[in-house]
Amino acid sequence: MLAYAIRRLGLSVLILIVVMTAMYGMVFLVPGDPASLALGPRATPELKEALRERMGLDQPILTQILYFFGNVLQGDLGIDVWSKRPVLEQILEVFPNTLILGVVALGWALVMGILLGCAAVVWRDSWADRLLGVLSVSVISVPSFVVAIYALIVFAVWLNWLPAIGAGEAGDLGSQIRALILPAFAVGIGWVGYLARLIRASMLEVMEAPHIRTARAFGMRERDIVFRHALRVAIVPTISILAVGFGSILSSAVFVESVFSRPGIGTLITGAVEKRNYPVVMGTVLFMTGFYLLVVTAADLLIARLDPRVRDVLRG
Amino acid sequence: MSSAADASAPARRGIGRALLADPMGLAGLVLVTIFLLMALLAPWIAPYDPIALDVKAKFQPPSAAHWAGTDHLGRDLLSRIIWGARLALGIAITSVGIAGAIGLVLGLIAGYGPRWLDSILVLVFDSMSSLPMIFFALAVITVLGPGTTTLIIVIVLVSFPAYARLIRTQTLALSGADYILAEKAMGAGTGRIIFRHLLPNVVGPLVILICMDIPVVIMLEAGLSYLNLGVKPPSPSWGNILSEGYNALRQAPHVVIVAGIPLVLATLGFTFLGEGLRDVLDPRGAGRRWG
Amino acid sequence: MSVLSVEDLSVSYRIPGGRLRAVRDVSLSVGRGEVLGIMGESGCGKSTLAAAMIGLLPAGASVDGGVIRLNGADMLRLPVDEQRRLRGQSVAMVFQDPMTAFNPVLTIGRQLADFIGAHDAARHNRADIAAMLEKVGIPDPARCLGRYPHELSGGMRQRVAIAAALLMQPDVLIADEPTTALDVTMEAQIIHLLRDLRTSFDGAIVIVTHHLGVIAELCDRVAVMYAGEVVEEAAVDALFHDPRHPYTRALLSCDPAVVQPGIGHLPTIGGRIPDLSALPPGCAFAARCAMTDATCASPVPRHRAAGRSVLCHRSKA
């Protein structure tokens, strides 16, 4: 078990190193060096040289990469060349906003998804099931930032029920919750459909399994069979999808944060991309990828706990 | 592991008819056809020049002259949306086409080539697809600078690993199949096996996956353009229209409302079509409508 | 007095363009302390019959006519919840494949407790369950309860399945191909276990199998099914020593255990089972039978004599 977790994490870290190195390499492959790109065409050579030095671009590439990872290991993601603030500090400042958005979005999607998925199983092959099916596919395919913009027009501009921008006042939980509602709705809605679909398919498959017939043959109530026996089996594949899905939730969050001008990882990185603020972009990519790999690994471990068959494969 | 490929062969005859019989697939087909026609015929059907300014007529609500109204520079929104379809589909089809070709080649190499090469390629595919796509895309845009070419490169980079993985799995499953082993035993060359047996069977599932991916790609293009990190203005990308409309949200909400509609309909259309195709080509999913 | 009786039962499956008649006018009964075998090839309708007996027909199957009586009560016409209550409590089932019969993510103990809890939570505690496991030959039963199904061997799982059924103290125990999925040694052990059970279990037992050895070892009476019908029913000894129906004779001559040494090949029955969705009006076996004549195309009479019945124009009971 432990060996497996370590192997998995090792592979993940390797992936991360490969990606960061590739990114570093890309910066050097592209014509025009980052310092002149960042400063624009009117910069003086001295200014460029100074910035190059500050960014460490005068060192050989290998040295830079090693230096970068050395710093990362010490929890130093570099310094923002513009604001001169440490990148990690900026990330940690806004990360909670994004995390809350992602967790709340996934949370409501999970609750609704399980409910609708089970409802579709109970009403299988009826018109309600079909309607849920079409609705699920629809909400999955509609881009979250379009949902966000429409929701913003209706609920913030026309009805004026909820705030249009920001993440709420610091220290005012009520305003923070109100500011969270629309973004979380927009980020999560696609996942409601996706999870409903997933749970339904998974449940239908499980309900055909011989062990469900056994439970019926022993006279268990259908309700108990669905919730005590079938859901336990059906939820397992959903968890791994959910972890991978956290990545796409974060993607949606990037766009949705921008729609609502909500401070977060998304607004941080898109602003940095526009200004070609390399340290911030690389730091954020590294941080978020690391965080994502952590979530996926945690999900693997959770699955191993929930499914004794996997547990044994891992142990053996 | 049974593959969608071997099941699809007998069903192929009635694809068209089966798709027409399925309301969702039919809706998808109609929507996709409309958008394809819009894209192909944009120069002829667009009532105005999509980038011609007419500042005097800015922010006009929908009217007989401008069915969808005008934007902050007085440009006709309907024309911009029609040309936007050309842009969106052009970028989507170009990029998934390239990604599909790369995925096909790498997937075949991984599935049919030596084992050591397979393990290396799988590690590459996995490491690429184990990244949260959006951050990877933003990193590439930072390096290359925003623009249409960058957008296509980004989309190719984020999509091909999934295609390659699919092709690899299919190839592995097929090359263990009895009839291919028999061909090999009879001395068939690698080329013959790949072109006569593997390719025709792996293309079907790839097409389904690509069709299901197009809405994601359209969304990515519009989203990045919305963030000013994709197609550069004044090109009439749906994302650009949204972004420009967003800046005048309270003054002229019709811009944003109108610009969102094609985005919603196009993604719905391709998704429905993809679902319909999968149901038709992959009978295992039949009856499990949205499984 | 029979505990379970089936009267003129017909079951069919809905298929594209018609109905597949899996069970046709079957009448059977089994009494307390009696072991009834239901024998036939795959596709003869024996598993569908077993499923109907416990009220768990698969999707697409429906009862077209007939009655199933459990302790005199008309099972098919009971409210759904009453039927459910009878399942497990009055009639319990042991399934063919012990590999998939248990929920993979719940411990054995939890599942057995859930089964019992569906009827009467107070009736059994953990010690009772452990005692029953010990009775069916499971070493260290307390530990077994904490294990997951995949941690047990196929034979052990089938023992657990039998223990689960017995814990319910049913009036009827139905075993659907209880040994088919097991290897030869396991099979012998389970047969042994079921034979021991006959002495301690006072309910009726129905064993569904295609395996002649299982029938010979365990059953008192046997019904031979062909194409959805019971073609012959008799006491085991009578059937094995003096089969009357041509199909029974053919079936017995195919058993590798009774084939004369030195004939160099295994006999088979020529031809195949008729299409159950388009049955001929007369005898379903006629096309494969060596004795067929013109009369066989007309509806077949059932001959009855003391303790046996035969469905044939050409043979008498």
Side-chain angles (χ1 to χ4, degrees):
Chain A
M1 191 63 224
L2 200 64
Y4 173 78
I6 290 168
R7 205 158 55 225
R8 167 100 207 183
L9 256 169
L11 185 69
S12 306
V13 170
L14 185 72
I15 291 169
L16 203 56
I17 291 174
V18 168
V19 168
M20 293 320 291
T21 310
M23 228 190 113
Y24 239 107
M26 277 201 304
V27 175
F28 279 84
L29 283 177
V30 178
D33 74 286
S36 13
L37 282 172
L39 288 172
R42 281 177 302 169
T44 63
E46 293 79 40
L47 214 58
K48 273 192 237 174
E49 202 45 55
L51 183 60
R52 282 175 61 85
E53 211 168 301
R54 208 158 67 220
M55 290 169 83
L57 295 175
D58 50 348
Q59 305 286 323
I61 179 161
L62 208 66
T63 317
Q64 287 185 44
I65 293 174
L66 288 177
Y67 193 68
F68 176 73
F69 284 119
N71 284 340
V72 168
L73 283 180
Q74 296 162 32
D76 176 8
L77 292 178
I79 305 282
D80 181 343
V81 279
W82 301 100
S83 69
K84 315 233 167 32
R85 288 178 58 205
V87 172
L88 189 63
E89 192 184 299
Q90 296 186 45
I91 292 175
L92 290 178
E93 195 175 286
V94 293
F95 179 64
N97 281 336
T98 303
L99 187 64
I100 290 169
L101 176 58
V103 168
V104 171
L106 205 56
W108 91 267
L110 192 61
V111 171
M112 283 299 286
I114 289 180
L115 282 177
L116 292 179
C118 287
V121 171
V122 173
W123 298 322
R124 64 192 283 192
D125 296 327
S126 73
W127 63 267
D129 180 22
R130 262 182 286 269
L131 182 71
L132 280 176
V134 174
L135 279 181
S136 301
V137 177
S138 306
V139 296
I140 291 168
S141 62
V142 173
S144 57
F145 70 98
V146 177
V147 175
I149 291 176
Y150 281 155
L152 184 141
I153 291 180
V154 175
F155 296 102
V157 177
W158 290 347
L159 297 174
N160 207 11
W161 286 351
L162 293 163
I165 58 168
E169 304 293 319
D172 179 357
L173 194 63
S175 86
Q176 285 172 359
I177 290 174
R178 278 159 50 80
L180 186 61
I181 293 176
L182 289 181
F185 170 76
V187 171
I189 180 99
W191 276 81
V192 173
Y194 194 54
L195 289 172
R197 239 175 109 117
L198 214 65
I199 293 279
R200 177 185 182 272
S202 193
M203 282 289 269
L204 283 185
E205 207 173 304
V206 172
M207 290 302 281
E208 296 294 316
H211 62 83
I212 296 298
R213 191 176 60 158
T214 307
R216 289 205 179 108
F218 278 98
M220 277 185 71
R221 281 181 192 83
E222 201 66 16
R223 195 186 57 220
D224 290 343
I225 293 176
V226 167
F227 289 102
R228 289 167 69 101
H229 283 202
L231 195 56
R232 224 11 239 282
V233 183
I235 206 89
V236 173
T238 313
I239 292 169
S240 64
I241 303 268
L242 217 57
V244 178
F246 203 68
S248 93
I249 287 268
L250 291 175
S251 294
S252 306
V254 168
F255 293 112
V256 171
E257 279 176 359
S258 169
V259 170
F260 291 99
S261 311
R262 182 187 162 85
I265 290 292
T267 33
L268 178 70
I269 193 172
T270 49
V273 173
E274 257 178 306
K275 284 187 276 184
R276 295 214 158 176
N277 196 339
Y278 283 95
V280 173
V281 174
M282 290 188 65
T284 314
V285 171
L286 187 68
F287 183 86
M288 291 311 285
T289 310
F291 172 72
Y292 172 77
L293 291 177
L294 211 68
V295 170
V296 173
T297 309
D300 280 338
L301 298 182
L302 185 62
I303 288 170
R305 274 199 63 82
L306 286 180
D307 191 332
R309 289 168 300 179
V310 179
R311 198 187 305 165
D312 277 19
V313 170
L314 302 184
R315 211 184 274 144
Chain B
M1 167 158 296
S2 85
S3 68
D6 37 62
S8 71
R12 208 161 276 167
R13 265 170 277 123
I15 293 181
R17 201 177 313 147
L19 206 54
L20 292 181
D22 167 29
M24 210 156 98
L26 181 65
L29 196 62
V30 169
L31 283 171
V32 168
T33 311
I34 291 174
F35 278 104
L36 281 176
L37 286 177
M38 261 165 69
L40 284 173
L41 304 176
W44 295 280
I45 58 172
Y48 296 88
D49 181 341
I51 53 173
L53 312 185
D54 181 4
V55 185
K56 283 198 301 289
K58 72 171 183 177
F59 289 139
Q60 283 187 6
S63 65
H66 298 282
W67 289 3
T70 59
D71 69 2
H72 66 298
L73 297 172
R75 295 174 296 195
D76 178 57
L77 279 174
L78 182 60
S79 305
R80 287 180 71 71
I81 284 168
I82 292 174
W83 279 89
R86 196 182 177 95
L87 203 69
L89 294 193
I91 290 176
I93 291 170
T94 311
S95 46
V96 295
I98 299 172
I102 296 177
L104 190 61
V105 171
L106 289 183
L108 280 173
I109 293 176
Y112 204 75
R115 309 304 314 155
W116 61 268
L117 192 56
D118 180 41
S119 14
I120 292 175
L121 285 173
V122 167
L123 186 66
V124 172
F125 302 156
D126 273 357
S127 54
M128 296 193 70
S129 47
S130 74
L131 283 164
M133 182 176 80
I134 188 67
F135 296 103
F136 191 43
L138 289 172
V140 175
I141 294 171
T142 319
V143 176
L144 298 180
T148 309
T149 318
T150 304
L151 205 51
I152 292 176
I153 293 175
V154 164
I155 295 169
V156 168
L157 281 176
V158 298
S159 354
F160 90 85
Y163 303 163
R165 243 186 172 259
L166 173 82
I167 296 291
R168 171 188 174 267
T169 315
Q170 295 275 326
T171 308
L172 277 182
L174 281 171
S175 46
D178 289 342
Y179 71 95
I180 290 195
L181 293 179
E183 278 272 335
K184 274 190 204 162
M186 293 190 311
T190 305
R192 183 185 155 82
I193 289 177
I194 288 180
F195 286 102
R196 286 290 305 269
H197 297 291
L198 293 179
L199 263 187
N201 281 310
V202 297
V203 163
L206 183 63
V207 168
I208 299 178
L209 186 62
I210 283 180
C211 193
M212 310 263 283
D213 243 11
I214 284 184
V216 180
V217 170
I218 292 178
M219 194 218 88
L220 194 62
E221 183 266 315
L224 289 173
S225 298
Y226 172 81
L227 295 175
N228 299 320
L229 301 176
V231 180
K232 284 182 182 145
S235 289
S237 159
W238 292 335
N240 287 342
I241 309 177
L242 273 172
S243 154
E244 289 155 6
Y246 178 80
N247 292 327
L249 197 64
R250 286 170 199 272
Q251 198 179 352
H254 74 270
V255 181
V256 166
I257 295 172
V258 163
I261 292 171
L263 207 43
V264 171
L265 291 181
T267 46
L268 274 184
F270 276 101
T271 308
F272 283 178
L273 182 64
E275 294 274 320
L277 274 180
R278 192 193 47 191
D279 285 357
V280 173
L281 291 177
D282 182 1
R284 280 176 310 154
R288 277 201 279 146
R289 150 94 273 163
W290 33 299
Chain C
M1 171 64 193
S2 61
V3 185
L4 175 75
S5 70
V6 175
E7 293 155 29
D8 297 321
L9 186 75
S10 292
V11 179
S12 65
Y13 289 88
R14 204 173 42 240
I15 55 166
R19 302 200 73 85
L20 194 139
R21 304 193 57 199
V23 174
R24 297 186 288 146
D25 299 319
V26 165
S27 296
L28 285 172
S29 72
V30 57
R32 229 165 244 293
E34 191 182 24
V35 182
L36 171 71
I38 299 178
M39 179 171 78
E41 299 167 90
S42 18
C44 72
K46 57 188 191 299
S47 283
T48 304
L49 178 62
M53 284 175 177
I54 196 166
L56 281 182
L57 285 174
S62 59
V63 174
D64 299 331
V67 179
I68 299 173
R69 280 187 207 287
L70 187 62
N71 288 326
D74 186 350
M75 273 263 281
L76 296 173
R77 278 154 200 86
L78 284 177
V80 175
D81 202 52
E82 290 289 312
Q83 271 191 42
R84 177 189 66 74
R85 228 176 298 248
L86 287 180
R87 273 200 293 278
Q89 199 161 42
S90 295
V91 45
M93 194 150 182
V94 175
F95 291 102
Q96 173 172 353
D97 191 352
M99 295 298 166
T100 55
F102 289 100
N103 190 317
V105 301
L106 301 176
T107 60
I108 295 289
R110 163 87 194 271
Q111 292 185 59
L112 295 189
D114 276 356
F115 296 159
I116 295 165
H119 301 282
D120 186 358
R123 194 164 53 168
H124 289 289
N125 53 32
R126 220 175 152 80
D128 287 334
I129 299 178
M132 185 54 85
L133 288 181
E134 184 141 36
K135 194 172 157 192
V136 298
I138 287 177
D140 200 353
R143 207 160 138 247
C144 174
L145 289 177
R147 302 192 137 201
Y148 290 93
H150 70 281
E151 296 174 316
L152 304 178
S153 70
M156 280 301 150
R157 268 186 264 189
Q158 201 61 307
R159 283 170 197 269
V160 172
I162 291 167
L166 293 177
L167 270 171
M168 313 301 290
Q169 297 173 324
D171 300 308
V172 185
L173 174 70
I174 301 174
D176 184 6
E177 302 273 12
T179 64
T180 307
L182 303 176
D183 65 38
V184 181
T185 18
M186 290 295 177
E187 176 171 34
Q189 287 176 19
I190 294 295
I191 290 178
H192 198 76
L193 172 66
L194 288 170
R195 201 167 49 200
D196 287 348
L197 203 72
R198 289 191 51 177
T199 54
S200 59
F201 177 67
D202 64 346
I205 301 179
V206 176
I207 293 176
V208 177
T209 181
H210 66 275
H211 195 310
L212 297 174
V214 173
I215 298 280
E217 290 266 3
L218 295 174
C219 298
D220 302 313
R221 242 166 3 99
V222 55
V224 180
M225 285 188 74
Y226 182 78
E229 289 174 307
V230 173
V231 293
E232 181 164 6
E233 188 191 340
V236 165
D237 285 348
L239 189 101
F240 275 84
H241 292 125
D242 181 21
R244 299 289 172 84
H245 195 282
Y247 175 68
T248 314
R249 281 205 284 269
L251 201 60
L252 292 179
S253 70
C254 293
D255 185 9
V258 304
V259 167
Q260 304 295 317
I263 69 167
H265 67 277
L266 278 176
T268 52
I269 307 178
R272 44 165 59 184
I273 296 182
D275 179 359
L276 294 175
S277 59
L279 286 162
C283 174
F285 188 61
R288 303 168 78 181
C289 180
M291 298 164 65
T292 308
D293 65 13
T295 57
C296 294
S298 58
V300 192
R302 184 176 293 279
H303 303 290
R304 291 179 202 281
R308 73 191 294 166
S309 81
V310 177
L311 188 70
C312 185
H313 281 286
R314 308 292 312 273
S315 318
K316 301 286 180 253

